């Protein structure tokens, strides 16, 4: 299993690592990774790894077997041999935008407290699909409420609970289509706010900013009809 450095510190931009395996498709597995693997609507990270006498750009990272993170080279090159020590460097600007958007989408579930049927994150925008038969009447009110939560500069932290505790509190899971992983031990929760200022708590494996103020101003994008019972709501970093 790859040590998830991005989970320990989502602001880590570079780190050392050692190659422990190659995949049949040409991917690289390190013993520890700052690259977030695609999942939960958040894209895999990109960047570069280098080693003595070589280097390769990383197009994305994806989940592998048994908790591994697989780095996917951007071009076909000779891979560093198993046992090679490498330096990882993240495309930080892209990752940070993912973090800002991901945290903003959690706030959107606070402003629109309806079940989520899907979602996606990009570098600068994101969207959630809600079980919402009718489009909201006041777009401006949604945008204002979102930015008010950003301006409160609420702390964003994490907690861990055992699966039986999660099962006893099904309301924590806001997504209808993506459920927290089972059989891997404690489940990670992302909390926005603390004490009386807490506004959100839900399972999530992605990367987030440290405070809502770091998200910056948000604009509400399109609200699209995605079926009789679904509306897609998009947001953009301003």
């Amino acid at each position: 299993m790859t040590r998830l450095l991005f989970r320990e510190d989502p602001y880590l931009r570079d780190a050392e690592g050692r190659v422990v395996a190659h995949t049949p498709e040409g991917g690289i597995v390190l013993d520890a990774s700052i690259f977030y693997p695609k999942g939960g609507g958040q894209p895999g990270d990109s960047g570069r790894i280098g080693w003595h006498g070589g280097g390769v750009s990383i197009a994305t990272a994806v989940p592998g077997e048994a908790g591994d993170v697989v780095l996917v080279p951007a071009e076909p090159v000779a891979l560093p041999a198993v046992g090679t020590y490498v330096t990882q460097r993240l495309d930080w600007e892209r990752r940070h935008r993912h973090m800002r958007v991901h945290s903003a989408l959690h706030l959107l579930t606070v402003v629109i407290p309806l079940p989520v049927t899907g979602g996606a994150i990009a570098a600068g925008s994101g969207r959630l699909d809600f079980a919402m038969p009718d489009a909201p009447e006041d777009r401006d009110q949604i945008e204002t409420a979102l930015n008010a939560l950003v301006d409160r500069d609420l702390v964003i932290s994490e907690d861990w609970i055992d699966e039986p505790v999660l099962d006893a509190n099904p309301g924590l899971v806001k997504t209808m289509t993506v459920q927290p992983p089972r059989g891997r031990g404690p489940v990670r929760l992302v909390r926005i706010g603390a004490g009386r200022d807490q506004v959100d708590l839900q399972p999530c494996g992605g990367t987030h900013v440290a405070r809502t103020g770091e998200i910056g101003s948000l604009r509400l994008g399109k609200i699209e009809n995605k079926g009789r019972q679904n509306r897609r709501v998009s947001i953009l970093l301003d």
Side-chain angles (χ1 to χ4, degrees):
M1 176 183 290
T2 303
R3 180 181 170 190
L4 307 181
L5 298 177
F6 60 83
R7 181 71 48 76
E8 298 174 16
D9 180 3
Y11 289 86
L12 196 59
R13 305 185 189 194
D14 54 72
E16 301 301 309
R18 182 173 59 86
V19 179
V20 295
H22 299 151
T23 68
E25 300 79 15
I28 304 165
V29 179
L30 304 180
D31 64 340
S33 175
I34 61 173
F35 292 84
Y36 175 83
K38 177 182 178 181
Q42 182 171 333
D45 284 331
S46 56
R48 187 170 179 82
I49 63 171
W51 59 93
H52 181 69
V56 63
S57 295
I58 300 301
T60 189
V62 297
E65 296 181 356
D68 285 338
V69 176
V70 179
L71 308 185
V72 180
E75 62 272 344
V77 296
L79 301 181
V82 171
T84 300
Y85 286 88
V86 303
T87 298
Q88 309 172 61
R89 290 188 173 86
L90 203 61
D91 182 344
W92 171 247
E93 294 299 326
R94 179 172 179 265
R95 154 70 87 73
H96 191 235
R97 285 178 172 269
H98 290 164
M99 291 165 61
R100 292 166 63 198
V101 171
H102 200 155
S103 298
L105 290 178
H106 279 224
L107 294 181
L108 186 60
T109 69
V110 176
V111 175
I112 304 178
L114 295 173
V116 175
T117 60
I121 296 165
S125 65
R127 54 91 172 168
L128 289 177
D129 298 343
F130 291 95
M132 182 192 306
D134 301 311
E137 296 180 358
D138 194 338
R139 289 173 46 93
D140 291 341
Q141 184 178 9
I142 294 174
E143 185 173 285
T144 298
L146 269 176
N147 282 297
L149 288 170
V150 169
D151 292 342
R152 286 173 64 181
D153 198 26
L154 299 166
V155 65
I156 301 178
S157 58
E158 67 174 31
D159 202 353
W160 296 82
I161 60 172
D162 293 329
E163 289 182 13
V165 178
L166 180 63
D167 293 338
N169 295 273
L172 289 173
V173 182
K174 297 186 177 184
T175 54
M176 299 172 64
T177 55
V178 179
Q179 294 293 312
R182 300 287 178 171
R184 300 182 186 175
V187 177
R188 179 178 182 250
L189 300 178
V190 170
R191 184 190 312 274
I192 301 182
R196 294 182 179 180
D197 286 331
Q198 179 177 309
V199 298
D200 189 51
L201 180 68
Q202 60 178 293
C204 181
T207 57
H208 290 267
V209 292
R211 307 187 69 94
T212 61
E214 194 174 333
I215 295 170
S217 297
L218 295 169
R219 289 185 290 117
L220 196 64
K222 294 181 180 180
I223 299 179
E224 303 173 88
N225 187 339
K226 288 298 176 180
R228 188 174 61 182
Q229 298 294 325
N230 285 279
R231 292 294 184 277
R232 175 168 295 174
V233 181
S234 298
I235 58 173
L236 303 93
L237 300 179
D238 200 353

